[in-house]
């Protein structure tokens, strides 16, 4: 089944650039771009990684430990709530 020509032409039309959740017509440009492979680049990457993954790992590691203990030793906890209480 071939789509009608009108729908195919809609993809070829020139469109304005998409700016998500912005009422401003110009896109965001950083005032001072960070040079790749500089000390500032690696520092900001480390901070971004710590913020993005650090909190997730901090919260999920106890849940994973509880899950593994419940799988290995069947009678150790009666449930997830019981496991967190102990």
């Amino acid at each position: 089944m071939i789509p009608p020509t009108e729908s195919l032409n809609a993809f070829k039309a020139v469109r304005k650039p998409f700016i998500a959740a912005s009422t401003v017509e110009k896109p965001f440009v950083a005032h001072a771009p960070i040079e790749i492979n500089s000390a500032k680049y690696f520092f900001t990457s480390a901070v971004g990684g710590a913020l993005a993954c650090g909190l997730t790992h901090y919260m999920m590691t106890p849940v994973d430990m509880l899950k593994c203990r419940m799988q290995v030793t069947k009678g150790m906890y009666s449930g997830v709530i019981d496991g967190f209480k102990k």
Side-chain angles (χ1 to χ4, degrees), residues 28-77:
F28 173 77
V29 178
H31 295 288
I34 299 173
E35 182 181 344
I36 294 178
N37 294 333
S38 65
K40 187 175 182 181
Y41 173 80
F42 288 114
F43 176 74
T44 54
S45 297
V47 170
L51 291 175
C53 296
L55 184 60
T56 303
H57 284 78
Y58 177 75
M59 297 295 288
M60 293 310 296
T61 300
V63 175
D64 189 49
M65 291 279 297
L66 178 61
K67 176 196 65 107
C68 291
R69 287 180 181 172
M70 289 176 73
Q71 288 176 340
V72 171
T73 311
K74 298 289 183 189
M76 183 179 253
Y77 306 115

